[in-house]
Amino acid sequence: AQSVTQPDIHITVSEGASLELRCNYSYGATPYLFWYVQSPGQGLQLLLKYFSGDTLVQGIKGFEAEFKRSQSSFNLRKPSVHWSDAAEYFCAVGVKSGTASKLTFGTGTRLQVTL
Amino acid sequence: NAGVTQTPKFQVLKTGQSMTLQCAQDMNHNSMYWYRQDPGMGLRLIYYSASEGTTDKGEVPNGYNVSRLNKREFSLRLESAAPSQTSVYFCASSEERRGPSSYEQYFGPGTRLTVT
């Protein structure tokens, strides 16, 4: 069965520092991978997605992620974190089930940014 | 263009009470989803509707029912609320085209439900 693991529950970084959030997936076929961000009290917003092709994908707000098939990973990165990036981040894998296209989410990583 | 809207934003229920969470989307999407979010557990799928007139169970359907009223609206009903259903509930939609873009889901702002 498909699954997504985000090993870091909580990460704290200083503003201006670089960021890497880890995501590992388990899925038998070619995965469709997503990163979503949830600001406090808000819904989820899509940051970026990987379908195929170039393994380094760019997203909104200066984020990027790299798909590594050999490591079953899709880690999210940002070169310089801003205080407004404090939020919870979810990695997800797309799964086909009958006629529906569903997402399986990881448990999330909460990012705290110190000034 | 409001995207996905949910009502109410907050709700407090007593054990045994019933209520319906409403969701509507104005993007002409075919598929709609209901999730619950609990601390440390990410988002778990309760029910989904791949198209108007169809609904299917997700990962955690017990204690819930859904109705796909039309293409725009997808409601979630708690017939007899229990404290274990205290959670944040999110509705989402996707344009069920063929191919990978069909997995791209758009989320509403959520309903925070407390059952005492």
Side-chain angles (χ1 to χ4, degrees):
Chain A
Q2 70 286 346
S3 66
V4 176
T5 301
Q6 294 181 247
D8 303 305
I9 297 172
H10 188 204
I11 283 183
T12 300
V13 300
S14 300
E15 188 174 40
S18 63
L19 171 69
E20 182 169 28
L21 302 183
R22 295 184 290 165
C23 172
N24 293 96
Y25 68 90
S26 172
Y27 188 55
T30 300
Y32 300 136
L33 296 162
F34 302 82
W35 274 100
Y36 283 83
V37 60
Q38 183 183 28
S39 298
Q42 304 294 315
L44 278 71
Q45 181 184 20
L46 180 66
L47 273 180
L48 47 76
K49 59 198 175 192
Y50 171 78
F51 292 156
S52 65
D54 192 348
T55 56
L56 184 65
V57 294
Q58 303 296 322
I60 62 172
K61 305 185 180 187
F63 284 92
E64 66 179 27
E66 186 171 13
F67 170 60
K68 293 186 178 179
R69 184 185 298 276
S70 62
Q71 298 176 19
S72 297
S73 69
F74 188 55
N75 293 349
L76 182 71
R77 302 195 294 247
K78 187 169 185 178
S80 178
V81 169
H82 188 262
W83 64 266
S84 60
D85 293 324
E88 189 153 22
Y89 293 80
F90 292 93
C91 182
V93 63
V95 178
K96 196 69 174 178
S97 176
T99 57
S101 300
K102 299 193 286 185
L103 293 176
T104 294
F105 286 87
T107 52
T109 298
R110 183 168 297 280
L111 173 66
Q112 183 177 358
V113 180
T114 58
L115 300 176
Chain B
N1 190 336
V4 180
T5 57
Q6 293 183 237
T7 55
K9 286 186 169 34
F10 302 93
Q11 184 70 48
V12 179
L13 292 178
K14 293 187 187 322
T15 298
Q17 288 185 318
S18 63
M19 80 160 295
T20 299
L21 282 64
Q22 305 288 352
C23 173
Q25 52 90 9
D26 62 2
M27 297 174 283
N28 201 35
H29 285 175
N30 289 303
S31 296
M32 298 185 74
Y33 310 81
W34 275 106
Y35 294 89
R36 60 176 291 171
Q37 183 182 30
D38 302 291
M41 303 193 75
L43 277 78
R44 293 181 292 168
L45 184 64
I46 305 171
Y47 270 94
Y48 64 95
S49 170
S51 62
E52 185 179 353
T54 68
T55 61
D56 282 290
K57 295 178 181 179
E59 183 184 352
V60 288
N62 291 345
Y64 305 95
N65 284 301
V66 290
S67 295
R68 184 75 183 268
L69 305 171
N70 47 55
K71 192 170 185 179
R72 290 188 63 248
E73 298 171 289
F74 188 38
S75 62
L76 178 72
R77 182 160 179 84
L78 286 70
E79 291 291 351
S80 179
S84 61
Q85 294 178 304
T86 293
S87 187
V88 182
Y89 291 86
F90 288 99
C91 178
S93 69
S94 67
E95 186 179 1
E96 182 70 6
R97 298 192 303 259
R98 291 180 183 274
S101 291
S102 65
Y103 297 90
E104 192 170 327
Q105 294 183 16
Y106 297 83
F107 285 80
T111 294
R112 187 174 295 274
L113 175 67
T114 301
V115 183
T116 61

